[in-house]
Amino acid sequence: QKEVEQDPGPLSVPEGAIVSLNCTYSNSAFQYFMWYRQYSRKGPELLMYTYSSGNKEDGRFTAQVDKSSKYISLFIRDSQPSDSATYLCAMVTGNQFYFGTGTSLTVIP
Amino acid sequence: NAGVTQTPKFRILKIGQSMTLQCTQDMNHNYMYWYRQDPGMGLKLIYYSVGAGITDKGEVPNGYNVSRSTTEDFPLRLELAAPSQTSVYFCASSRGLPPGEQYFGPGTRLTVT
């Protein structure tokens, strides 16, 4: 069983839609939870991170963590064509990061 | 600040050759990481360092070596390249805990034939 599971998609939505991206994990020792965005042929860039269960908002993005279910989500409101990218979840225990495989998102104008 | 820089951008190696992937950061970050990214497989941690002179293995260290003689530089050495090492390699750095503030370089695309 992988440490982190993420549906690879691809996901295609119309502009303005609400997007929901999800990851599940098996290791209850994970302490920090992150979402990265990766444009084609670029390095990942951090979007959001949290260390507790609950919601965290940043503009159009909301990160949600449910430690009891070992489930994290990223919601994107009012999606834009510029949001088209691969979204990676990541989790940390100690000094080690574990990444999901990424979900490819396309927002159609 | 240039952030995290990696060289080269692309490289083709023959089986059995060796090479060093360079990584430099100018943010005075203590933590540095090397990942490989294969299609559909996500990012896998190869090695990491929590400071100059300190390195440790990640999830997939076999076939690689690292050193950290300065805060700024964290080179990754491939000895006896194999086709299984064909991948995109990313270097990253962060200040430390909490580790979320990780900055990635642009990557090196390596093909071993």
Side-chain angles (χ1 to χ4, degrees), chain A residues 14-69:
Chain A
E15 183 175 352
I18 296 174
V19 176
S20 172
L21 304 166
N22 309 297
C23 287
T24 58
Y25 63 96
S26 56
N27 188 348
S28 56
F30 286 136
Q31 302 160 291
Y32 301 96
F33 306 89
M34 284 148 284
W35 286 96
Y36 287 81
R37 178 175 61 198
Q38 185 176 22
Y39 291 115
S40 181
R41 295 186 172 260
K42 300 288 187 185
E45 55 179 337
L46 179 68
L47 274 178
M48 300 185 72
Y49 86 90
T50 184
Y51 56 87
S52 59
S53 284
N55 293 354
K56 182 176 182 179
E57 275 194 33
D58 184 1
R60 296 185 294 112
F61 299 91
T62 299
Q64 189 175 77
V65 174
D66 183 346
K67 286 188 177 180
S68 61
S69 301

Side-chain angles (χ1 to χ4, degrees), chain B residues 12-112:
Chain B
I12 298 174
L13 277 183
K14 293 191 188 308
I15 293 171
Q17 287 185 322
S18 299
M19 77 163 293
T20 299
L21 281 67
Q22 301 292 346
C23 175
T24 300
Q25 53 92 7
D26 62 359
M27 297 173 282
N28 201 31
H29 285 169
N30 287 325
Y31 287 52
M32 295 187 75
Y33 311 81
W34 273 107
Y35 294 90
R36 59 178 288 170
Q37 187 174 38
D38 302 314
M41 298 295 290
L43 286 156
K44 300 288 187 186
L45 182 64
I46 305 171
Y47 272 95
Y48 68 97
S49 169
V50 300
I54 306 169
T55 62
D56 208 346
K57 295 177 182 177
E59 197 178 351
V60 291
N62 291 344
Y64 307 94
N65 275 301
V66 293
S67 59
R68 184 98 181 268
S69 56
T70 67
T71 299
E72 295 78 20
D73 300 306
F74 191 39
L76 177 71
R77 178 82 177 162
L78 277 72
E79 305 281 3
L80 299 174
S84 60
Q85 293 178 305
T86 294
S87 190
V88 181
Y89 291 84
F90 289 101
C91 179
S93 73
S94 67
R95 283 186 197 88
L97 293 175
E101 302 284 347
Q102 203 177 46
Y103 296 85
F104 282 80
T108 294
R109 291 183 175 273
L110 176 67
T111 302
V112 182

